[in-house]
């Protein structure tokens, strides 16, 4: 069977997911190179592969071993489609195994940075000009495997070796099949991006046209076609995703859009005023603001269990949203800011075989109870792409590049019972921290920063008197995917300045601490 490409302009790559935590990262890297791709489970049927009409297929890594009796395998038909293939780690092993090579369990597990030596004539593994003059130069790569290919399948050559893996990269130039024992998608692999780019552009002949302003226009046109003259409802959260959906819908359907913005009393300082200012006053969108602080806070009285708090906040949100929605007539669609990682991460989704770490996103919830058709214009996009679309739409940089904020808001940042006075203290502390990050040009250098309120008091001394005051925590992390994160090493002088401001300006706080835990084992939020 071969692929008939209906539209030669549709350059896309299929990523088959064998369960690696890095699969999303592969997809993001491909999109960053300017090529559209989608992820499917490794066992997607051949007909679906053919109808997707990929220009190339990438087999991801995964936690399994092909030496098992029934290892996860793609349909063997993918090797006969005449489409270039790139196998990464497990993906390379399963390709080698299915094509008649031999894979065995290595005595020595290789994890972390390693050096590989590309063989001569294998310029695709590095900077071509650099390598042709210095062929045997070693390259830094990121390894994470215990199996390795020991015997090549017919038609393949070894392209690079490392001390532990004599076949660290393999290639069949005739069939355009490539295998990498290491992970090109991880930034520690120094030539990773250029190896991927070579595969996508030189081998698969993809044009790098993804996410140009045309993509924004296409999204707007698609919304127009889908919605026609119907009315659409959107819940604005103040976050990036729903903001960009609002911008897209406004351009596509103008005043057929109505937004509901629920102030749950657990938002950041001045958040609701800012949302109304941007969307209603500046852009002219019909935004119905609901002040539901009392309703949320009264339901949270006496509740300190984090999961219970999340459930209550989620339930009350739906109730308030529904009450407000019922006042608006003739609505046919509910728009949501669901993005691609929400879809990949939600449990049991057919696109993914990755082990679910945490599932707390927009998928599910509102639609069924409202009985509206669901409109999710960003559901094929990664966060960075959503931001670019926001910029194409002319939305302000501060809005588009703001840090993520969890749905339950300060409710999961006030540990234990949520009280109005705690929320007020936390809002002021959080505001000082973020304000200083912005002033000192550090905001864009961290992925997420916020303050946490602890339900304890600590002794201090103010003037000549003993004080007994609240304790707050500052948290700032660096991450690319929010699934793992490093705590940010902010300068001591900066932390000292923020601490002094907080203690001076928020009189109920007596102690400021800084969280130096990475994820895992800690999560980003405290609850
Ligand atoms: P964790 O705490 O799981 O957070 O390391 C990872 C990212 O997800 C955000 N987060 C949430 N977002 N609803 C959301 O919309 C939630 O319930 C929720 N919990 C965590 C968190 O802020 C971080 O960016």
């Amino acid at each position: 069977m071969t692929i008939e490409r209906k539209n030669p302009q549709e350059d896309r790559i299929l990523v088959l997911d064998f369960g690696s935590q890095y699969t999303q990262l592969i997809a993001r890297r491909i999109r960053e190179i300017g090529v559209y791709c989608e992820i499917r489970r490794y066992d997607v049927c051949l007909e679906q592969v053919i109808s997707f009409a990929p220009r190339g297929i990438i087999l991801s890594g995964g936690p399994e071993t092909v030496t098992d009796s029934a290892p996860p395998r793609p349909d063997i038909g993918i090797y006969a489609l005449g489409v270039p293939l790139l196998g990464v780690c497990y993906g390379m092993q399963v390709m080698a195994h299915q094509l008649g090579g031999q894979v065995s369990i290595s005595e020595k597990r290789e994890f972390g940075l390693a050096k590989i030596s590309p063989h001569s004539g294998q310029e695709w593994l590095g900077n071509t000009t650099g390598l042709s003059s210095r062929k045997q130069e070693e390259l830094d790569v990121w390894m994470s495997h215990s199996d390795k290919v020991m015997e090549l399948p017919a038609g393949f050559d070894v392209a690079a070796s490392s001390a532990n893996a004599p076949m660290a990269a393999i290639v069949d130039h005739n069939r355009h099949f490539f295998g990498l024992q290491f992970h090109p998608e991880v930034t520690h692999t120094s030539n990773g991006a250029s190896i991927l780019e070579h595969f996508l552009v030189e081998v698969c002949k993809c044009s790098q046209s993804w996410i140009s302003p045309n993509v924004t226009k296409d999204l707007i046109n698609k919304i127009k076609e889908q919605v026609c003259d119907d009315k659409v409802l959107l819940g604005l959260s103040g976050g990036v995703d729903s903001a960009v959906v609002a911008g897209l819908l406004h351009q596509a359907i103008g005043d057929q859009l109505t937004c509901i913005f629920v102030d749950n009393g657990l938002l950041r300082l001045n958040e609701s005023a800012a949302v109304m200012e941007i969307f209603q006053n500046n852009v002219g969108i019909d935004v119905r603001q609901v002040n539901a602080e009392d309703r949320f806070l009264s339901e949270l009285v006496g509740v300190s269990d984090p999961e219970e708090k999340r459930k209550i906040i989620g339930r009350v949100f739906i109730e308030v949203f529904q009450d407000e929605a019922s006042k608006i007539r003739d609505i046919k669609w509910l728009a949501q800011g669901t993005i691609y990682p929400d879809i990949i991460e939600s449990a049991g989704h057919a696109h993914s075989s990755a082990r679910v770490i945490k599932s707390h996103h927009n998928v599910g919830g509102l639609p069924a109870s409202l009985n509206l058709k669901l409109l999710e214009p960003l559901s094929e996009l990664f966060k960075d792409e959503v931001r670019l679309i926001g910029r194409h739409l002319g939305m302000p940089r501060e809005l588009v590049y703001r840090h993520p904020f969890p749905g339950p808001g300060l409710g999961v940042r006030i540990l234990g019972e949520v009280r109005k006075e705690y929320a007020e203290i936390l809002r002021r502390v959080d505001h000082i921290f973020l304000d200083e990050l912005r002033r000192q040009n550090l905001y864009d250098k961290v992925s997420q920063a916020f303050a946490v309120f602890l339900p304890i008091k600590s002794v201090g001394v103010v003037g000549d008197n003993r004080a007994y005051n609240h304790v707050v925590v500052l948290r700032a992390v660096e991450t690319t995917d929010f699934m793992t994160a490093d705590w940010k090493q902010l300068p001591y002088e900066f932390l000292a300045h923020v601490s002094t401001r907080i203690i001076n300006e928020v009189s109920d706080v007596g102690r400021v601490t800084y969280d130096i835990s990475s994820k895992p084992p800690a999560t980003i939020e405290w609850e």
Side-chain angles (χ1 to χ4, degrees):
M1 261 192 282
T2 50
I3 290 179
E4 260 179 62
R5 213 174 299 282
K6 290 181 205 110
N7 177 1
Q9 300 309 315
E10 275 197 9
D11 289 353
R12 43 206 212 161
I13 295 290
L14 184 62
V15 180
L16 293 187
D17 178 21
F18 290 87
S20 163
Q21 296 299 334
Y22 293 137
T23 306
Q24 262 199 59
L25 208 51
I26 297 181
R28 283 187 44 195
R29 295 282 177 259
I30 298 172
R31 301 256 189 115
E32 279 164 19
I33 292 167
V35 176
Y36 184 71
C37 68
E38 285 186 22
I39 301 174
R40 293 284 185 280
R41 267 180 66 107
Y42 67 90
D43 53 0
V44 59
C45 68
L46 195 59
E47 287 68 35
Q48 282 190 37
V49 174
I50 291 170
S51 79
F52 186 80
R55 282 208 175 269
I57 298 176
I58 296 187
L59 311 179
S60 84
E64 314 292 340
T65 164
V66 295
T67 58
D68 270 358
S69 56
R73 272 186 286 223
D75 190 312
I76 190 111
I78 62 166
Y79 303 106
L81 294 173
V83 169
L85 283 172
L86 170 65
V88 174
C89 199
Y90 179 84
M92 159 180 171
Q93 291 150 14
V94 79
M95 173 169 72
H97 185 64
Q98 284 183 297
L99 294 176
Q102 201 210 320
V103 179
S104 33
I105 298 181
S106 174
E107 280 157 25
K108 212 166 158 197
R109 216 173 152 239
E110 216 176 355
F111 184 80
L113 265 188
K115 299 233 178 255
I116 60 157
S117 310
H119 292 196
S120 60
Q122 304 293 343
E123 282 80 6
W124 61 279
L125 280 171
N127 174 325
T128 316
T129 46
L131 265 183
S132 52
S133 53
R134 296 174 289 136
K135 283 195 174 90
Q136 295 303 328
E137 189 171 321
E138 290 187 323
L139 300 174
D140 287 333
V141 298
W142 185 258
M143 294 276 196
S144 167
H145 69 111
S146 47
D147 291 0
K148 57 189 173 192
V149 177
M150 294 307 290
E151 233 171 73
L152 288 174
F156 276 81
D157 290 317
V158 179
S161 314
S162 75
N164 260 317
M167 299 178 191
I170 60 174
V171 59
D172 175 342
H173 282 298
N174 285 333
R175 284 184 287 179
H176 303 300
F177 291 172
F178 298 77
L180 303 172
Q181 184 64 77
F182 54 90
H183 289 270
E185 69 278 18
V186 172
T187 45
H188 300 83
T189 296
S190 49
N191 271 332
S194 66
I195 293 171
L196 283 173
E197 186 165 343
H198 170 270
F199 178 73
L200 301 172
V201 180
E202 305 298 330
V203 181
C204 302
K205 309 283 181 217
C206 289
S207 61
Q208 291 168 278
S209 53
W210 173 243
I211 219 78
S212 64
N214 280 344
V215 173
T216 307
K217 279 190 207 133
D218 289 349
L219 287 173
I220 291 173
N221 289 336
K222 202 169 146 202
I223 293 171
K224 282 184 184 160
E225 274 171 30
Q226 252 183 308
V227 170
C228 298
D229 298 328
D230 294 343
K231 281 191 176 179
V232 180
L233 185 64
L234 167 69
L236 270 183
S237 70
V240 179
D241 305 336
S242 65
V244 172
V245 174
L248 274 173
L249 285 169
H250 184 65
Q251 292 211 4
I253 57 167
D255 58 13
Q256 286 160 248
L257 169 69
T258 303
C259 293
I260 294 179
F261 174 61
V262 177
D263 183 344
N264 57 10
L266 301 167
L267 302 173
R268 284 166 288 198
L269 194 71
N270 304 330
E271 182 91 39
S272 32
V275 168
M276 295 309 283
E277 177 62 25
I278 294 171
F279 293 98
Q280 182 146 306
N281 301 350
N282 289 356
V283 185
I285 297 178
D286 173 16
V287 186
R288 317 276 168 101
Q289 183 182 3
V290 194
N291 186 350
E293 181 181 30
D294 292 344
R295 192 158 160 187
F296 277 88
L297 294 186
S298 63
E299 295 252 10
L300 286 167
V301 170
V303 183
S304 52
D305 177 72
E307 281 310 302
E308 211 180 319
K309 288 199 291 183
R310 267 176 205 276
K311 280 191 195 129
I312 292 173
I313 296 169
R315 171 178 56 78
V316 178
F317 176 81
I318 292 174
E319 290 168 6
V320 172
F321 193 92
Q322 261 174 324
D323 286 354
E324 198 60 28
S326 66
K327 297 178 195 159
I328 309 166
R329 293 178 47 209
D330 302 328
I331 296 284
K332 290 261 169 25
W333 295 86
L334 177 73
Q336 286 203 323
T338 313
I339 64 172
Y340 199 38
D342 301 336
I343 299 222
I344 306 170
E345 281 163 24
S346 58
H349 193 275
H351 284 194
S352 176
S353 54
R355 290 172 185 171
V356 173
I357 295 186
K358 200 168 186 180
S359 166
H360 43 50
H361 289 280
N362 303 335
V363 184
L366 276 173
S369 46
L370 279 169
N371 211 9
L372 296 171
K373 288 189 276 187
L374 195 57
L375 187 66
E376 294 179 314
L378 306 179
S379 64
E380 282 165 4
L381 303 176
F382 285 104
K383 194 83 168 185
D384 305 341
E385 298 168 335
V386 170
R387 294 192 157 124
L388 265 178
I389 305 260
R391 294 299 282 152
H392 293 161
L393 291 167
M395 301 178 106
R397 207 182 175 285
E398 306 73 62
L399 177 68
V400 166
Y401 284 94
R402 71 199 322 216
H403 296 167
F405 186 68
L410 303 186
V412 289
R413 293 179 179 172
I414 295 167
L415 266 60
E417 188 183 358
V418 177
R419 293 197 195 155
K420 187 170 176 165
E421 68 263 29
Y422 294 168
E424 273 161 10
I425 293 171
L426 181 56
R427 256 193 282 275
R428 288 162 62 205
V429 171
D430 187 71
H431 182 71
I432 293 172
F433 185 30
L434 295 187
D435 180 47
E436 285 298 334
L437 282 168
R438 285 199 178 92
R439 277 174 200 242
Q440 306 202 26
N441 287 329
L442 289 166
Y443 186 86
D444 288 337
K445 299 196 174 106
V446 301
S447 312
Q448 195 171 6
F450 54 90
V452 177
F453 181 92
L454 301 187
I456 51 169
K457 284 190 168 186
S458 160
V459 172
V461 49
V462 177
D464 291 330
N465 297 318
R466 178 184 188 273
Y468 193 49
N469 272 325
H470 293 295
V471 181
V472 292
V473 183
L474 306 180
R475 177 119 169 101
V477 294
E478 260 184 315
T479 170
T480 48
D481 53 13
F482 294 88
M483 289 159 96
T484 61
D486 292 325
W487 63 276
K488 176 75 181 179
Q489 304 206 12
L490 290 171
Y492 282 163
E493 309 74 56
F494 171 81
L495 290 170
H497 176 67
V498 173
S499 164
T500 306
R501 262 197 74 185
I502 292 170
I503 300 280
N504 287 345
E505 294 174 35
V506 191
S507 56
D508 303 294
V509 172
R511 202 173 282 266
V512 180
T513 64
Y514 189 57
D515 183 349
I516 53 169
S517 328
S518 288
K519 173 183 178 177
T523 51
I524 295 176
E525 302 290 344
W526 271 51
E527 281 193 339

